[in-house]
Amino acid sequence: MSNWRMFLTFFVIVLLIMGGIHGYLFWRLVLETEVPPPFSMALGWLFAVALAGIPLSFVLGRVLDKGIARLFVVPAYVWLGLVFQAFYIVLALDMVRGAAWIVLRLGGAGPLFGGPAGSLMAWRVAAAGAAAASLALTVVGVGWGLRRPVVKRLEIALAKLPPALDGFTILQLSDIHLDLVHGRRWLDGVVDTAIAQRPDLVAITGDLAEGSVAKYAADAEPLRRLAPPHGVFFVTGNHEYFHDLDGWLTLLGELGVTVLRNERVSVQRGDASFDLAGIDDHDGGRIAPGHGPDLPRALDGRDPRKALVLLAHQPRAVSEAARLGVDLVLSGHTHGGQIWPFSYLVYLQQPFVRGLKRLGGTQLYVSSGTGFWGPPMRLGTRAEITLIRLRSPEDRGEDP
């Protein structure tokens, strides 16, 4: 599918979904609370303009200068976060209200709150509370979203890792999403933090930027300063296929980053080594000819006695990885859910959302992401820079 058709499809889907959510909120928070004119009319125009601004912001973010686009796009994304919070809360209230109504009817009790007047007043109080809670959660979410990523440290034992490689460190960055909020200064800070960890190797598991090389190349320049002893490696995320794929693959090479496209390299320290493999994003094949994950190709000819670490943007890759004997998969994509309770919806697409998991003999680590996408918000999650220390069971007195 060509980029413009894919973008148009995405545009229409977003408009339909957001139109339904805006309509539902206007009905419940304005019409059902009987807000009098002219306030109801003013709120109607606000909802209509804000709704049109959400898909329009996707266009403006692509065609306008970053400084100008920021004035339109960032407010639209904050509104998007506010609307989702309001939707979850109002929907929950309606579900409780509906359940209470059913229980009362089955029990033969009278109407809720003593009749229409009491019900109206009760709903006005509930709607006001929902609006206040949504606004408060949005403010908190923006605050959390704009905080610097934390350094998350963990140790992972690999049964086939040689003792000579015990303590080998991989620093994972994922879902950086350079955009109108996160630019060069922010990435400079991320790179400073990464360098301070003194990793042996850096792995970037996709979704680097939200635009073309022409617009974001300067913002990505700090990646050039990453120079761990065993290199910097990258695999494509789904967003690489939305924005100037060939341009980004070329630029990454110029920045000293090795892109693994369904291939494998040996990471060696002295006579000891393990394999590092990387595959294209799951969605690449339907967007770009010649792309798409091919794990058997990446593993072709490998020595099964050697430990293997796989970089794959989406956690769903773990199922095939487990069948093919991969020891550890490093993924991202989910942002850890980014904004609670959206994380529950992510499970509809991915088997795991964040943290360290095990599937048979394969371990999976899902990063919560170094940046964010869409609303500059996080609730219930923190952006992270992950430092993974590999451990050899032999060296730690464990059975291999």
Side-chain angles (χ1 to χ4, degrees):
M1 182 184 294
S2 62
N3 279 347
W4 73 266
R5 287 179 61 192
M6 182 175 63
F7 180 75
L8 182 61
T9 301
F10 177 72
F11 188 96
V12 171
I13 291 173
V14 168
L15 192 60
L16 290 173
I17 293 174
M18 295 310 301
I21 291 175
H22 277 69
Y24 170 70
L25 291 176
F26 183 74
W27 166 50
R28 300 300 288 134
L29 297 179
V30 178
L31 298 181
E32 288 295 297
T33 57
E34 298 185 7
V35 175
F39 301 108
S40 58
M41 184 176 295
L43 289 170
W45 278 107
L46 172 64
F47 272 63
V49 171
L51 172 60
I54 292 171
L56 182 62
S57 68
F58 299 144
V59 177
L60 296 179
R62 287 170 172 250
V63 301
L64 294 181
D65 174 79
K66 287 193 294 183
I68 298 174
R70 189 176 292 114
L71 301 175
F72 298 95
V73 175
V74 175
Y77 279 170
V78 173
W79 172 263
L80 180 63
L82 172 64
V83 163
F84 271 115
Q85 290 302 313
F87 174 72
Y88 297 139
I89 294 173
V90 173
L91 182 62
L93 288 174
D94 276 345
M95 292 173 67
V96 171
R97 187 183 185 189
W101 181 85
I102 292 173
V103 170
L104 290 174
R105 292 286 297 209
L106 291 176
L112 281 169
F113 307 109
S119 294
L120 175 60
M121 181 55 64
W123 181 243
R124 283 176 172 174
V125 172
S134 302
L135 182 59
L137 288 171
T138 301
V139 171
V140 171
V142 170
W144 282 5
L146 296 179
R147 295 172 70 180
R148 287 284 184 182
V150 298
V151 178
K152 184 171 182 179
R153 297 176 174 85
L154 66 154
E155 295 188 350
I156 299 178
L158 300 184
K160 292 178 283 187
L161 188 73
L165 285 170
D166 181 75
F168 188 97
T169 53
I170 299 175
L171 187 136
Q172 182 187 9
L173 304 175
S174 191
D175 303 277
I176 292 172
H177 289 289
L178 293 170
D179 59 10
L180 297 175
V181 176
H182 284 157
R184 179 166 184 162
R185 189 191 318 185
W186 174 81
L187 187 57
D188 258 325
V190 169
V191 169
D192 286 342
T193 301
I195 292 173
Q197 310 312 308
R198 303 179 65 183
D200 293 305
L201 181 150
V202 172
I204 306 174
T205 47
D207 283 6
L208 176 60
E210 289 306 298
S212 66
V213 167
K215 184 168 287 190
Y216 288 102
D219 291 334
E221 185 65 25
L223 294 179
R224 191 185 301 274
R225 296 196 288 113
L226 291 171
H230 294 274
V232 182
F233 296 89
F234 181 93
V235 290
T236 56
N238 54 312
H239 283 245
E240 267 67 59
Y241 295 96
F242 302 157
H243 308 288
D244 193 7
L245 172 65
D246 292 336
W248 281 113
L249 295 182
T250 299
L251 180 65
L252 284 164
E254 294 172 358
L255 294 174
V257 178
T258 300
V259 181
L260 295 176
R261 294 202 51 236
N262 301 320
E263 53 193 323
R264 183 182 78 257
V265 297
S266 179
V267 179
Q268 193 148 349
R269 177 190 285 169
D271 294 331
S273 66
F274 70 90
D275 285 338
L276 178 73
I279 57 174
D280 289 349
D281 181 66
H282 178 272
D283 297 328
R286 64 181 179 84
I287 300 174
H291 284 254
D294 189 344
L295 185 54
R297 174 185 167 188
L299 304 187
D300 184 44
R302 68 175 286 245
D303 182 350
R305 295 171 298 178
K306 293 177 64 174
L308 175 68
V309 177
L310 173 67
L311 308 182
H313 179 64
Q314 299 194 33
R316 67 173 75 191
V318 71
S319 297
E320 184 179 24
R323 291 196 302 270
L324 296 179
V326 173
D327 299 283
L328 173 63
V329 182
L330 301 181
S331 295
H333 184 63
T334 65
H335 302 190
Q338 186 168 323
I339 304 173
W340 185 89
F342 184 76
S343 53
Y344 297 117
L345 298 179
V346 181
Y347 281 108
L348 299 177
Q349 187 200 40
Q350 301 293 332
F352 303 107
V353 173
R354 62 176 175 265
L356 185 62
K357 310 293 180 182
R358 180 181 287 275
L359 186 62
T362 299
Q363 296 181 82
L364 164 72
Y365 183 75
V366 185
S367 168
S368 289
T370 309
F372 53 69
W373 181 77
M377 298 170 55
R378 280 185 177 268
L379 279 176
T381 64
R382 283 294 303 274
E384 68 178 64
I385 296 168
T386 316
L387 187 67
I388 299 165
R389 189 174 301 275
L390 302 181
R391 289 300 191 186
S392 168
E394 295 96 327
D395 191 67
R396 302 176 69 195
E398 300 175 16
D399 293 331

